[in-house]
Amino acid sequence: MNPDNTLMQDAEVRELIARALAEDVGSGDATTLALVGAEETARARLVARHEVVVAGMDTGIGPYIHDLDGNLWVNGGEIPGNGIDDDGNGFIDDVHGWDFHNDNSDPFDDNSHGTHCAGIIGAVGNNGIGVAGVNWSVRLMAVKILGRGGSGYVSDAVDGVYYSTRRGVRLTSNSWGYYGQWSQALKD
């Protein structure tokens, strides 16, 4: 198995499953048992890939982009559109993230820069449409800190970092410049 090639992992998992099913697992054949073990390992690696969440701290992430739809992070503690903070985290209906620039639950892109960056990170590949990102099965959390014109406030960036890290995010995408003074609050 080649752990550095996700496309091969998917193909190899299918091959391993087919080979394991074709052979008599009950025979105790060492090769078959090794294949079953390799299959379980490969499946575990595929599941683990879906556990990586990257917070896109930008102008948001565009809705209804086919290459991104399947990889948008979903807050399982929220019921979409009911106007209630179901998970008690202080943010009502933060299903895919939060818009700190406009202070609402609609973190979708009105500029296209955040969507472009999200596509580089995690657009689904090998599907015959659009583009392919670096990681085809990453979860993308939309953390909108910049407005339509591509500018925003340091306080929104600080709030975005706090929001995403409180949800266990360890990776953020920060494709934005800063022309003001150095910010201790953002560093902290």
Side-chain angles (χ1 to χ4, degrees):
M1 177 164 301
N2 179 356
D4 297 324
N5 186 328
T6 57
L7 175 61
M8 288 305 295
Q9 282 183 350
D10 293 345
E12 287 172 357
V13 169
R14 286 191 299 273
E15 178 185 323
L16 289 170
I17 293 169
R19 288 168 69 187
L21 292 174
E23 296 183 23
D24 181 7
V25 177
S27 71
D29 177 67
T31 303
T32 302
L33 294 177
L35 285 173
V36 171
E39 173 194 348
E40 290 171 2
T41 300
R43 284 183 177 276
R45 286 182 181 164
L46 288 173
V47 169
R49 286 191 319 202
H50 290 286
E51 294 174 5
V52 175
V53 179
V54 176
M57 310 256 311
D58 210 297
T59 58
I61 297 177
Y64 316 115
I65 306 295
H66 295 294
D67 280 338
L68 297 177
D69 279 346
N71 287 350
L72 285 178
W73 173 79
V74 176
N75 179 352
E78 286 290 344
I79 299 170
N82 71 353
I84 298 172
D85 180 14
D86 300 296
D87 63 1
N89 68 356
F91 298 90
I92 295 171
D93 290 336
D94 59 324
V95 176
H96 296 294
W98 192 258
D99 179 344
F100 289 94
H101 187 76
N102 297 301
D103 196 27
N104 64 47
S105 64
D106 183 12
F108 296 111
D109 200 349
D110 54 5
N111 174 285
S112 78
H113 184 264
T115 301
H116 175 85
C117 293
I120 292 169
I121 296 165
V124 175
N126 201 30
N127 61 1
I129 60 170
V131 299
V134 175
N135 184 334
W136 298 353
S137 56
V138 68
R139 294 292 174 234
L140 300 163
M141 176 188 286
V143 181
K144 183 178 175 75
I145 62 166
L146 304 173
R148 179 184 310 265
S151 63
Y153 300 98
V154 172
S155 59
D156 290 339
V158 171
D159 290 344
V161 168
Y162 183 75
Y163 172 86
S164 59
T165 57
R166 295 280 295 170
R167 275 136 204 86
V169 171
R170 297 180 64 196
L171 297 170
T172 60
S173 170
N174 307 288
S175 178
W176 33 275
Y178 181 65
Y179 299 106
Q181 291 181 322
W182 178 79
S183 171
Q184 182 66 44
L186 190 55
K187 180 181 183 279
D188 291 344

